[in-house]
Amino acid sequence: MQIFDSGLRYGGVSRLLHWSMALLLMWQFASAIARVLASETALDEFLWSTHRELGALLMLLVVVRGIWGVINASRRPPALSVMARLGHLALYALMIAVPLIALIRQYGSGRAFSPFGVPLMSGFEGERIEWMVALGGQFHGLLGWTLLALVVGHVGMAILHKRLGGQDVMTRMTSLRR
């Protein structure tokens, strides 16, 4: 199995990061949907209890994936169009902005945050920082739903490229052949 990307397909590390993040994002979206549609149920409590920790993990993975992408920039399969490139940039921007805004809100609340037992931020005494809490309250959910819409569009476009355009872009991210 190739580790690095090539002009024809993504390497093992890129595929591992892509599909791991896809699974984690599906879990995050499921937890948000359960929070809205099945509030105060066992499903909601189970899924929501993981939302913040997995959000922090996703933010770490998107940074690692971005660094890996820069390392592989000259090797990667070419974008099919300017729109594809802009769509991917929007996905990355939202995958950074959504958890970053949540972290700003968390800090502003004054509560400690230790995902998976790793102290990321300590809490503080005194009044919360209202603009930070308000930023999270206004934009975390909105941008999260926007990210979901872009992810659905991303999957839809990959399917459409194969069915209508004859370009099987999904093999770039799924094929194990050299």
Side-chain angles (χ1 to χ4, degrees):
M1 178 192 316
Q2 70 185 45
I3 300 296
F4 290 100
D5 299 347
S6 75
L8 298 176
R9 64 186 49 85
Y10 294 95
V13 174
S14 293
R15 287 194 313 271
L16 177 66
L17 289 168
H18 177 273
W19 294 110
S20 298
M21 289 177 65
L23 289 172
L24 288 171
L25 281 166
M26 286 190 322
W27 186 274
Q28 289 295 84
F29 295 137
S31 72
I33 291 167
R35 191 75 171 167
V36 170
L37 298 180
S39 184
E40 298 183 27
T41 65
L43 177 65
D44 169 44
E45 289 178 26
F46 172 69
L47 291 173
W48 196 251
S49 68
T50 65
H51 191 83
R52 292 188 307 152
E53 284 80 7
L54 292 182
L57 177 59
L58 271 165
M59 186 169 188
L60 174 63
L61 288 175
V62 78
V63 169
V64 169
R65 190 170 174 192
I67 292 167
W68 185 252
V70 169
I71 290 168
N72 279 280
S74 65
R75 298 184 194 98
R76 295 201 136 177
L80 295 180
S81 68
V82 171
M83 291 306 292
R85 182 165 288 157
L86 291 174
H88 283 98
L89 286 174
L91 282 168
Y92 275 97
L94 286 172
M95 287 189 293
I96 290 170
V98 171
L100 181 62
I101 289 170
L103 287 173
I104 291 168
R105 176 179 58 193
Q106 180 72 29
Y107 180 79
S109 75
R111 296 175 296 171
F113 183 47
S114 298
F116 305 106
V118 177
L120 192 58
M121 62 181 73
S122 59
F124 60 83
E125 297 293 324
E127 294 191 30
R128 56 193 219 162
I129 303 168
E130 289 301 326
W131 73 265
M132 290 179 161
V133 176
L135 178 74
Q138 291 172 348
F139 292 105
H140 177 70
L142 174 66
L143 294 178
W145 295 120
T146 304
L147 177 58
L148 174 58
L150 279 179
V151 166
V152 170
H154 176 68
V155 172
M157 290 308 295
I159 292 168
L160 279 175
H161 275 292
K162 177 166 174 93
R163 302 218 190 239
L164 300 179
Q167 297 170 314
D168 189 3
V169 295
M170 288 197 292
T171 59
R172 294 174 168 191
M173 195 53 80
T174 60
S175 175
L176 295 176
R177 293 178 294 140
R178 285 188 167 238

